[in-house]
């Protein structure tokens, strides 16, 4: 059960990685653009922080994605996971990189059939987009459940389900319950995972009672 952060904000990543509860990072071109930085500066900084698994997305034609994926994998080594879209070109790149033992995250997965093809192409991770499926009036978490059920029944052990596009804390628990191996979440959602009103209230009472009981002696 792993938690990845879905962001390219290295300040936030550094702060949250220090909790010891974060296992990796996923980025995408939108998150990199939001960071306002050169993608490779971001990746380099994350490697220096010791992040063991960083998804680096490639785009373009089959040739461009393959060339860029190989270059990034050579440059950043075992910490690099190359992220490709679930298209015929993307899956061909996945197949070729996986054969050379490069980890591949197949992204933009919206159906079980896409996850099946990605697994057959040797993907290390398949990324169903829970939130974006929900946005389109289908069940994002049901998709996670369906993929997990297929992978279990078909003894697919080499490909892990990385639940992506997570929009709320409740989805994290549900995604793991339904068989996701990893959830990638924005830092704001990670922060909210700590919270519960009854923890706050309970702690308030325990602290008051602690002080009161020590005042008596
Ligand atoms: C996954 O790897 C993507 O980066 C991400 O989860 C997309 O999330 P969004 O739908 O909130 O953009």
């Amino acid at each position: 059960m792993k938690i990845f952060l879905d962001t390219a904000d290295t300040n936030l990543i550094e702060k949250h990685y220090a909790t010891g509860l974060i296992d990796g990072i996923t980025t995408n071109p939108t998150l990199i653009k939001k960071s306002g930085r050169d993608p490779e500066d971001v990746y380099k900084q994350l490697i220096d922080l010791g992040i063991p698994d960083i998804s680096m997305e490639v785009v373009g034609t089959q040739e461009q994605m393959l060339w860029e994926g190989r270059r990034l994998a050579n440059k950043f080594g075992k910490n690099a996971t190359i992220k490709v879209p679930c298209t015929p070109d993307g899956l061909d790149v996945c197949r070729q990189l996986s054969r050379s033992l490069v980890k591949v995250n197949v992204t933009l997965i919206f159906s079980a059939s896409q996850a099946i093809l990605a697994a057959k192409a040797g993907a290390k991770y398949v990324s169903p987009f829970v939130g974006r499926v929900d946005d389109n009036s289908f069940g994002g978490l049901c998709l996670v459940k369906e993929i997990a059920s297929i992978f279990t029944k078909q003894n697919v052990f080499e490909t892990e389900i990385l639940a992506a596009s997570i929009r709320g804390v409740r989805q994290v628990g549900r995604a793991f319950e339904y068989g996701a191996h990893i959830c990638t979440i924005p830092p704001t959602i990670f922060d909210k995972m700590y919270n519960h009103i009854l923890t706050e209230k309970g702690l308030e009472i325990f602290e008051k009672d602690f002080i009161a009981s020590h005042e008596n002696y």
Side-chain angles (χ1 to χ4, degrees), residues 172-196:
V172 178
R174 279 289 154 90
F176 283 128
E177 182 191 348
Y178 288 166
H181 302 87
I182 305 162
C183 277
T184 188
I185 56 179
T188 46
I189 292 177
F190 177 75
D191 289 337
K192 286 183 188 161
M193 286 179 73
Y194 288 92
N195 298 343
H196 198 287

Side-chain angles (χ1 to χ4, degrees), residues 6 26-28 31 83 105 107 127 129 132 162 164-167 184:
D6 195 28
T26 50
T27 65
N28 65 37
L31 294 171
K83 206 172 171 191
N105 175 358
T107 191
S127 290
F129 272 40
R132 293 195 200 184
L162 196 168
S165 184
I166 296 284
R167 303 275 160 80
T184 188

Side-chain angles (χ1 to χ4, degrees), residues 2 123-127 151 157-162 181-182:
K2 293 182 182 169
K124 168 77 179 160
Y125 306 126
V126 290
S127 290
F151 282 11
F157 301 120
E158 308 77 17
T159 305
E160 295 180 24
I161 302 168
L162 196 168
H181 302 87
I182 305 162

